[in-house]
Amino acid sequence: MPETSESDERNQREVWAREVVARLHDDHAPLTDGVPADYIPELADVDPDTFAISVAMVDGRRVGAGAGTHPFTIQSISKLLMYGLALETHGREAVMRRVGVAPTGDSFNAILLDEDDNRAPNPMVNAGAMAITDLVVGDSIGARVDVVRSLYERYLGRLPELDHHVWASEQATGNRNRAIAYLMLSRGIIEDRVEETLDLYFAQCSVLVTCDDLAMIGATLANHGVHPTTGEQVVAPEVVRDMLSVALTCGMYDYAGEWVFTVGIPAKSGVGGGILGILPGVGGLATFSPRLDQFGNSVRGVKVFEEFSAQFGLHLFDPGRPWRPSR
Ligand code: GLN
């Protein structure tokens, strides 16, 4: 029966994915290049050897290797989810007035604005992310933190915890972000509750997730915004399209061009060591390993994505087989 063969094929693919994920984990565990982020003092304390690879399919199946349930701070991966929230709450036009969609080719914390249009360059660099955070509705920091936590709740299927040490550490040392935010205030890009918005931005970055969580977020985005296990429509499909577009072009910061060239999967990284990749219609792939390269991307994570993409032919423009007219 065709149904059986389809599920046989899915089972077969799951077995294959399990083998590949286990092999990629073993192959890359000895790789110790890079260093964990230390510009946020609390982040320097993580165990640099912790390593996980997780896959979640759109039908809710999971495959993984390593420390898939180890918690770490989501950091910049939050920017992707927050961008979706802003688009849903305020609409594309209002968001585009403050934040563009062009990659910068500069570091994630560059003090850089889109001067022509007087807006932040894109939502995946700190400037754009803080302009997006500024759009979170609420009349107190507590109310706005609740909005952010309930966004995460829908993606994670549970209310998330914040790492209060990392949050406080960034509040205490985040002066570069402060500089960017005040520059945006001076240009009228954000409103004048700057310290509160910075605080909220640091809070959204300090949310604790696991690699398994990230894979399921990826599967939700891959599944047109419907969470594979709760069934909830977490985000509208047309918003997912916008989220994945900027993830593809800007998600890996100034490595974005090479990333699209070699991996070809929309993705977002964070200095906590996580990378979230989305395979539309298929599932989410996530890695966690805290040692970072000069761009702020996880070293092992980038390698695993490269090989996973090649192994399964997942590049967006994978040649596949051409259609030929019959003669
Ligand atoms: N909280 C970090 C910062 O603002 C996030 C950066 C990142 O993950 N690239 O510097």
Side-chain angles (χ1 to χ4, degrees):
M1 258 154 61
E3 236 178 77
T4 317
S5 71
E6 199 186 299
S7 80
D8 281 353
E9 201 185 309
R10 280 217 303 267
N11 289 339
Q12 192 50 47
R13 244 186 276 146
E14 186 180 331
V15 172
W16 186 24
R18 207 172 288 286
E19 280 168 16
V20 172
V21 163
R23 182 177 53 73
L24 288 177
H25 186 273
D26 291 350
D27 285 356
H28 294 94
L31 186 64
T32 56
D33 294 347
V35 278
D38 58 3
Y39 75 100
I40 302 169
E42 276 295 322
L43 282 186
D45 285 346
V46 298
D47 175 358
D49 289 320
T50 316
F51 185 24
I53 306 174
S54 306
V55 177
M57 320 284 187
V58 290
D59 62 5
R61 293 177 193 225
R62 295 170 167 283
V63 169
T69 57
H70 178 86
F72 55 92
T73 54
I74 191 167
Q75 297 297 339
S76 280
I77 300 167
S78 66
K79 293 169 177 171
L80 185 61
L81 312 187
M82 296 293 289
Y83 184 51
L85 175 68
L87 288 168
E88 282 208 310
T89 312
H90 302 280
R92 221 185 193 194
E93 216 179 295
V95 171
M96 286 292 278
R97 264 200 302 277
R98 289 164 177 243
V99 185
V101 290
T104 62
D106 263 301
S107 66
F108 65 81
N109 57 5
I111 301 178
L112 181 79
L113 297 177
D114 169 356
E115 299 291 340
D116 291 339
D117 294 307
N118 192 43
R119 59 184 179 179
N122 70 64
M124 302 293 120
V125 293
N126 290 9
M130 288 187 285
I132 292 297
T133 304
D134 183 53
L135 291 172
V136 173
V137 179
D139 52 16
S140 69
I141 179 76
R144 296 171 83 205
V145 169
D146 284 348
V147 171
V148 172
R149 287 184 81 207
S150 76
L151 170 74
Y152 280 100
E153 185 180 17
R154 296 203 300 280
Y155 277 106
L156 300 179
R158 61 161 201 283
L159 207 55
E161 296 298 324
L162 263 68
D163 184 324
H164 288 267
H165 298 290
V166 172
W167 187 9
S169 188
E170 242 191 306
Q171 277 163 339
T173 59
N175 289 328
R176 193 179 172 95
N177 285 327
R178 214 160 254 121
I180 298 169
Y182 277 96
L183 178 63
M184 291 197 292
L185 172 66
S186 78
R187 301 283 173 82
I189 298 170
I190 63 173
E191 289 174 24
D192 63 3
R193 49 181 177 177
V194 186
E195 289 298 330
E196 187 185 294
T197 293
L198 278 158
D199 204 12
L200 185 58
Y201 169 71
F202 297 141
Q204 83 184 42
C205 291
S206 304
V207 164
L208 286 165
V209 291
T210 67
C211 196
D212 287 353
D213 287 335
L214 290 185
M216 197 52 88
I217 295 172
T220 301
L221 295 173
N223 193 32
H224 314 281
V226 176
H227 193 292
T229 58
T230 67
E232 191 179 346
Q233 183 82 54
V234 176
V235 56
E238 56 276 14
V239 170
V240 173
R241 196 190 76 161
D242 290 346
M243 292 165 76
L244 298 193
S245 303
V246 290
L248 185 68
T249 53
C250 313
M252 303 298 284
Y253 317 118
D254 34 340
Y255 190 67
E258 283 92 335
W259 179 266
V260 175
F261 196 72
T262 56
V263 179
I265 293 173
K268 185 72 205 86
S269 63
V271 292
I275 302 180
L276 158 65
I278 301 104
L279 312 163
V282 178
L285 168 65
T287 56
F288 170 63
S289 170
R291 290 197 187 86
L292 308 180
D293 60 22
Q294 74 268 34
F295 305 104
N297 298 323
S298 166
V299 174
R300 285 175 184 161
V302 169
K303 290 258 178 271
V304 167
F305 266 87
E306 269 175 19
E307 288 187 28
F308 195 89
S309 174
Q311 180 85 51
F312 289 100
L314 294 172
H315 191 290
L316 203 61
F317 306 124
D318 187 73
R321 288 175 54 185
W323 177 83
R324 292 189 197 283
S326 46
R327 288 179 194 276

